Amino acid sequence: MAQAIDALRHGWPIRVDDGPVLLPAETAADPEACAERMLISAARAQTLKLANQREAAVPHAPVLIEGGEPFTLDLARAVSDPALDLANPMKGPFRALGLPDAEWPRTALEIARRAGVLPAFLLDPSPDREEPVAVDTADLAAFSAPDTLRIAARTRLPTAAAEHAEIAIFRSPADLREHAALIIGRQSADKVPVVRLHSECLTGDVFGSLKCDCGPQLDNALAACAREAENGGYGVILYLRQEGRGIGLVNKLRAYQLQEQGHDTVEANQRLGLPDEARDFPIAGRMLRLLGILRIRLLTNNPAKLTALEQQDIEIIERVPLDTGTNPHNARYLATKRDRSGHLLR
């Protein structure tokens, strides 16, 4: 699976199970590549006016399409990338085809998401210059196996928020990302820590973006953990390397481009053919268990985090709301989280 992800990032073909050769439309490098058919997501198919041929309730299902002419690489990219919609009117008409009762289409789209590339493939492209990387659907389940996570390193880390702090790094051969836990204060079995699940946000955490509230959330969480430590308790920040709600940094910035055209965060992700929420919150429960923490006070406004941790047998004795305020640049973003993603106000 790691080789398949790497192949897509390099623009090389893959083959899932006994399915066709799949060439990633976004990263393919051969300018002569073309194909009669493409595999895209139903969310992207809706943009191409094919939604009436798919169930609207399954926006991330795979869709097989063909056009009036073969898909060249330029046309395939215009089909797959909504950022090109205004500059390149579609050359259709396109037609949705029936997919076989097999797992390879869904697995292929999931591999693309994990690789951080657009979920769009040319099927059995010509000319056939590269040997595809072969992968099985079963490999995806093995790649995501929860029991492979471990603490790779743990050490003292004085921080600006609190001098008495430790950092633990988690690693799994089934994940190309390394997650972190910052423990502020002295961990003790008889104390219930305040815990924050924070998903990586380069633009907000590092550059102070005003388009989201990630930076202020992290700052407030650090301050809350420091107050716990000052009062004899401790706090934990789980820093999950799941940029862009799990779609990756490049695709997040593509979604930002679509937001500039008037789409909200959910609509932007869907126009990219990607889930509006693809984060793995259960991994946070496994991280807590490895730290020996089974009872927590969770600092969050997101009900999905409570559900995910409870399913991992983490007892949440209190939900602590997190209020960061708004600014003119993130007001719509916060309203979308509330109205479309079910986030609580307090």
Side-chain angles (χ1 to χ4, degrees):
M1 187 57 61
Q3 290 176 336
I5 291 172
D6 186 61
L8 296 190
R9 293 178 67 87
H10 281 85
W12 302 332
I14 65 172
R15 186 196 298 273
V16 182
D17 300 333
D18 295 323
V21 174
L22 301 168
L23 184 68
E26 177 189 346
T27 55
D30 187 348
E32 297 180 8
C34 66
E36 298 294 328
R37 300 172 299 164
M38 282 189 67
L39 184 73
I40 60 175
S41 76
R44 182 58 182 153
Q46 182 176 9
T47 305
L48 303 179
K49 309 303 181 185
L50 298 173
N52 61 330
Q53 299 179 44
R54 296 292 302 176
E55 293 184 35
V58 192
H60 306 300
V63 176
L64 187 63
I65 65 171
E66 67 176 5
E69 57 185 276
F71 292 101
T72 63
L73 199 53
D74 285 343
L75 176 56
R77 286 173 177 162
V79 167
S80 59
D81 190 349
L84 303 176
D85 285 351
L86 297 180
N88 297 283
M90 290 300 160
K91 297 181 181 180
F94 303 111
R95 181 165 66 105
L97 304 175
L99 273 170
D101 184 17
E103 289 297 319
W104 65 261
R106 285 176 287 274
T107 301
L109 294 188
E110 176 62 15
I111 298 173
R113 184 191 69 79
R114 296 190 181 213
V117 302
L118 292 170
F121 295 92
L122 292 99
L123 271 69
D124 288 326
S126 61
D128 186 8
R129 304 184 198 272
E130 298 282 349
E131 184 70 21
V133 173
V135 64
D136 293 331
T137 292
D139 294 334
L140 183 60
F143 193 69
S144 306
D147 58 359
T148 57
L149 189 70
R150 65 184 180 87
I151 298 177
R154 181 170 179 171
T155 187
R156 180 174 173 269
L157 182 71
T159 68
E163 291 189 13
H164 187 87
E166 289 183 287
I167 187 169
I169 301 299
F170 297 77
R171 177 182 286 171
S172 169
D175 196 338
L176 304 181
R177 304 159 300 184
E178 293 169 333
H179 306 288
L182 185 70
I183 302 100
I184 295 178
R186 297 187 181 279
Q187 184 175 346
S188 173
D190 61 350
K191 297 173 182 175
V192 180
V194 62
V195 173
R196 169 68 184 167
L197 275 59
H198 187 87
S199 297
E200 177 182 32
C201 177
L202 176 70
T203 50
D205 299 343
V206 178
F207 298 127
S209 168
L210 297 177
K211 286 181 68 69
C212 64
D213 60 344
C214 299
Q217 282 185 334
L218 182 57
D219 292 339
N220 287 9
L222 285 165
C225 290
R227 287 194 298 271
E228 287 294 309
E230 290 172 359
N231 293 324
Y234 74 104
V236 180
I237 294 178
L238 301 181
Y239 196 82
L240 308 177
R241 305 292 301 282
Q242 303 183 131
E243 181 75 58
R245 295 194 175 189
I247 67 173
L249 180 59
V250 172
N251 284 328
K252 182 178 87 168
L253 297 187
R254 288 187 174 120
Y256 278 4
Q257 289 179 305
L258 294 172
Q259 290 169 34
E260 293 295 323
Q261 298 175 16
H263 302 287
D264 67 27
T265 51
V266 171
E267 293 166 348
N269 282 29
Q270 290 179 347
R271 288 184 73 88
L272 287 166
L274 294 164
D276 53 88
E277 178 59 88
R279 287 175 289 183
D280 177 10
F281 291 138
I283 196 171
R286 301 195 291 274
M287 292 166 67
L288 289 170
R289 297 185 73 83
L290 287 172
L291 291 170
I293 300 171
L294 302 180
R295 302 175 71 237
I296 67 172
R297 293 154 53 217
L298 188 62
L299 185 61
T300 189
N301 298 332
N302 187 351
K305 294 180 179 180
L306 282 79
T307 300
L309 291 180
E310 288 169 344
Q311 290 175 346
Q312 293 292 312
D313 295 325
I314 301 297
E315 182 183 357
I316 301 171
I317 67 169
E318 180 186 6
R319 183 189 72 84
V320 182
L322 186 63
D323 185 10
T324 58
T326 63
N327 69 63
H329 301 279
N330 70 11
R332 189 183 184 196
Y333 163 82
L334 295 176
T336 301
K337 287 208 298 186
R338 179 195 66 215
D339 298 337
R340 302 196 64 177
S341 301
H343 286 222
L344 304 170
L345 292 176
R346 288 193 59 80

